[in-house]
Amino acid sequence: MRVALFVTCVNDAVYPATGIATVKLLERLGVEVDFPAGQTCCGQPQYNTGYRHETEPLVRRMGRVFDGYDHVVTPSGSCAAMVRDNYPRIGHKAAAEGRGPELGEIARSLGPRVYELSEFLVDVLGVTDVGAYFPHTVTYHPSCHGLRTLGLGDRPRRLLEAVKGLELRELPGADECCGFGGTFAVKNPDVSAAMGTDKVAHAASTGAEVLCGADNSCLMHIGGILHRQDAPLRALHIAEILLSTEAEPHV
Amino acid sequence: MSGTFVGMPAFPPPDPPAFPRAARDAVRDTTLRENLRHATHTIRDKRAKAVAELADWQQLREAGKRIKDHTLRHLDQYLVQLEESVTTAGGTVHWAADADEANRIVADLIRATGETEVVKVKSMATQEIGLNEALAAEGIRAYETDLAELIVQLGDDRPSHILVPAIHRNRVEIRDIFLDRMGSWGRPAPDGLTDTPADLAEAARLHLREKFLRAKVGVSGANFMVADTGTLVVFESEGNGRMCLTLPETLISVVGIEKVIPTWQDLEVFLQTLPRSSTAERMNPYTSMWTGPADGDGPQDFHLVLLDNGRTDALADEVGRQALRCIRCSACLNVCPVYERAGGHAYGSVYPGPIGAILTPQLRGTTSEIDASLPYASSLCGACYEVCPVAIDIPEVLVHLREKVAGQGGPGHRLEKAAMKAAGWAMDHPRVMAAGERAAARTRALHPKRPPGATAWTDSRDLPAFPEKPFRDWWKKNRS
């Protein structure tokens, strides 16, 4: 089984710990991971802001870089959803504009091979107990694209519930958007911040020590508000919790 | 395609403010925020329960989508059939290309009766074309009879929700509006009016009864028009609509061309999905249907004004046309986290919320500042698509319209396009991107906490500190 890590640009540049945790976790579960260095970004920021044409070279790059791998794993529901849901649209429109079937073929080939981390663990590896130990109270925020576009369902929760020492606390209004939304956070800062502030208040009401998610872009937004508020709660990616063991606890 | 008028007649400046500016004011209005939060959460929870009762909800949703898509694909054919059916039933059909034409037709029809007052059942189409204001300019007073519309009209306010136009008002505010303004529109509110719902409803009932019994002309919209019988259908909760449809001598219905469905059987689907999606009821309390005039029973003269007002332009757009499936249930508004904070007025149109963000820019174009900002008034969370009873993929249309707006290169987009191009180029050159990441990581001690150009972000949030080195460097050192 050839498995490639699609680390995403946000994790690469800002949250390398998530990529490292994903690699070490998969290796602990017996997966041989490769990281094709030619990868950059899936093009979601461009596409969702209305720059479809600027996305096309990145679609081609993704197609080239991950060609030949059985599975492409990414610690981001949002970037997985971009490939699976929007690449076919980009291909369809490019074909309609007379630029041939190439992008559509990339979408058809790559989409079914791209897995968000929890999907890969539960559906492909067939594990929910990854042998983790994390003695903290945790509340889980299911990011919108993972929740609605990918339909991750309870996979992340099942993984968290199997972590020894971890106490999962129900997040009120869990399925409500945190207000990140890519460039939405910049173009509509007031509404975005109001949504994020409500999300943080809900998380704080659980009394949990950690707000966990499967998308670092949402966590960057939520964590930014937590940091500004000097809140006792911290935002953490699920990969880092799943990596933590009794022998090597996450700090 | 930029001149189509879609409501907001009472907005003082010629151009309403762009969405982010209007939303900022709403976010700071704590009463408004609380009113909206309470109302939308109450309706959304009830809707979820009502929908969960039906085991075949997804099939109903798919059926509604197919009926609407089929009708839209053959709209020309069904509209002609509708015209024939309505005419055969004794009604008169008028075609209006835009708001001005529709308003002129309605005003002429009312003038021909010699009347100067009309009663209205709540109608999005007549709000869209600003009919009340156009009639006022002709010396005709239009009385809204839907309770929420009455509150908006008396308060000299604007509707802020498709189903609950006064959602932004609480009971205390409504009592004050009734006490202050009812007298100047007809029967005054009783002295000592309290803010209990029963008292408020009774005051409205007494005020409206006078108008129902006096009016000779009624104006309505319609939720559906059945092509093969020429029947119009209104779904409502209060019974005021039925009064408007049955008591006057002349009935004028103004309806968007996308409201036609082929047969009665198609109605079966929407009789289930519309009430559950909008009011969380298994069935709406009043479903009124009328097929032309009937001798000695109800209005003796019936006119149907079929309104285009930008709809055929939307129909021509392969991705955007799905917005015309909308049955105006407003479920998308009630689950939208952006609507909940920004309120309906920020959308600068009678169609607020997610559906407004895709419908309005299609009906009136994207040249104005507000219309160009609407496709961006969403975090693309997808909650609207999930609840839509006709499965309109609102996020897909939003992104499609963003492309249109970005392609125009309007304010803010020229710089943005250059930045997107530059970022796209760097990302297509991994070494350039890696070098940028390394530079950012190495200089991280020097980064200001609130970098210039990022104030929209740092006003309320801290930016994360850059790591010592990017992931790709860790990989290179440890794994390759």
Side-chain angles (χ1 to χ4, degrees), chain A residues 50-109:
Chain A
Y51 298 90
R52 176 171 56 88
H53 285 279
E54 284 73 7
T55 314
E56 290 184 1
L58 301 174
V59 174
R60 281 193 210 97
R61 169 166 293 281
M62 290 283 286
R64 268 198 318 274
V65 166
F66 294 113
D67 189 30
Y69 289 98
D70 302 322
H71 300 96
V72 179
V73 182
T74 180
S76 162
S78 187
C79 302
M82 171 69 188
V83 176
R84 223 183 281 171
D85 214 41
N86 290 328
Y87 277 21
R89 288 183 179 138
I90 294 168
H92 175 77
K93 284 193 172 179
E97 288 165 7
R99 270 172 292 117
E102 184 212 0
L103 292 169
E105 279 159 14
I106 292 172
R108 267 188 300 282
S109 154

Side-chain angles (χ1 to χ4, degrees), chain B residues 50-386:
Chain B
V51 164
E53 286 179 351
L54 293 184
D56 59 348
W57 182 258
Q58 290 308 330
Q59 289 97 306
L60 282 168
R61 190 174 180 242
E62 183 61 27
K65 175 189 170 185
R66 283 191 188 178
I67 292 167
K68 280 288 198 176
D69 276 352
H70 167 82
T71 318
L72 289 169
R73 211 160 37 239
H74 306 285
L75 193 60
D76 49 348
Q77 191 183 313
Y78 285 117
L79 286 172
V80 169
Q81 190 190 0
L82 176 75
E83 180 178 36
E84 285 166 7
S85 306
V86 170
T87 310
T88 306
T92 310
V93 175
H94 310 259
W95 298 83
D98 57 22
D100 285 346
E101 194 176 359
N103 288 333
R104 202 170 53 244
I105 293 168
V106 177
D108 287 349
L109 288 169
I110 297 169
R111 247 202 320 265
T113 67
E115 294 297 315
T116 55
E117 288 181 348
V118 299
V119 284
K120 285 184 69 201
V121 46
K122 176 179 162 1
S123 146
M124 293 308 294
T126 61
Q127 275 178 20
E128 174 187 322
I129 61 175
L131 179 66
N132 291 6
E133 291 72 16
L135 292 180
E138 303 273 338
I140 299 164
R141 212 165 192 197
Y143 294 113
E144 295 292 348
T145 66
D146 171 86
L147 179 55
E149 284 294 343
L150 175 70
I151 294 162
V152 168
Q153 186 172 46
L154 292 177
D156 202 14
D157 199 354
R158 294 174 291 134
S160 68
H161 188 281
I162 289 174
L163 186 80
V164 200
I167 196 169
H168 55 293
R169 298 291 199 183
N170 61 33
R171 285 193 275 136
V172 178
E173 291 173 302
I174 293 165
R175 185 204 50 195
D176 293 347
I177 290 170
F178 279 10
L179 283 171
D180 286 353
R181 302 299 306 275
M182 258 183 181
S184 59
W185 283 80
R187 183 186 175 124
D191 289 336
L193 178 67
T194 74
D195 63 2
T196 61
D199 253 23
L200 295 173
E202 183 61 13
R205 183 178 287 126
L206 294 170
H207 178 83
L208 289 170
R209 185 113 333 175
E210 281 186 359
K211 297 185 168 30
F212 289 132
L213 293 174
R214 201 170 60 207
K216 300 280 192 293
V217 181
V219 173
S220 86
N223 294 94
F224 299 96
M225 304 183 285
V226 183
D228 72 345
T229 58
T231 304
L232 273 71
V233 188
V234 156
F235 289 45
E236 48 138 356
S237 296
E238 296 168 10
N240 64 304
R242 183 161 292 180
M243 300 265 210
C244 293
L245 295 166
T246 50
L247 291 172
E249 291 164 8
T250 301
L251 175 60
I252 305 165
S253 301
V254 184
V255 190
I257 52 173
E258 82 284 14
K259 294 294 181 81
V260 66
I261 53 171
T263 67
W264 272 77
Q265 197 177 345
D266 299 317
L267 205 54
E268 173 228 8
V269 173
F270 304 109
L271 273 163
Q272 298 178 74
T273 53
L274 179 52
R276 283 179 201 260
S277 299
S278 57
T279 49
E281 287 165 309
R282 293 176 178 132
M283 191 170 182
N284 50 297
Y286 295 87
T287 304
S288 300
M289 305 183 182
W290 63 105
T291 313
D295 276 345
D297 182 19
Q300 295 302 295
D301 199 11
F302 169 59
H303 296 271
L304 170 60
V305 182
L306 288 171
L307 177 72
D308 185 329
N309 206 35
R311 284 160 175 77
T312 49
D313 291 313
L315 192 61
D317 186 314
E318 194 199 341
V319 177
R321 69 171 62 133
Q322 55 184 307
L324 296 179
R325 276 189 225 140
C326 177
I327 55 173
R328 312 283 189 264
C329 72
S330 72
C332 64
L333 277 63
N334 300 328
V335 296
C336 179
V338 176
Y339 174 86
E340 184 189 328
R341 273 90 186 176
H345 293 159
Y347 293 80
S349 156
V350 297
Y351 301 112
I355 187 64
I358 62 168
L359 195 56
T360 309
Q362 291 201 80
L363 293 182
R364 57 184 192 195
T366 48
T367 48
S368 80
E369 200 195 347
I370 178 72
D371 293 330
S373 72
L374 287 177
Y376 293 94
S378 166
S379 65
L380 304 179
C381 81
C384 49
Y385 178 31
E386 194 174 54

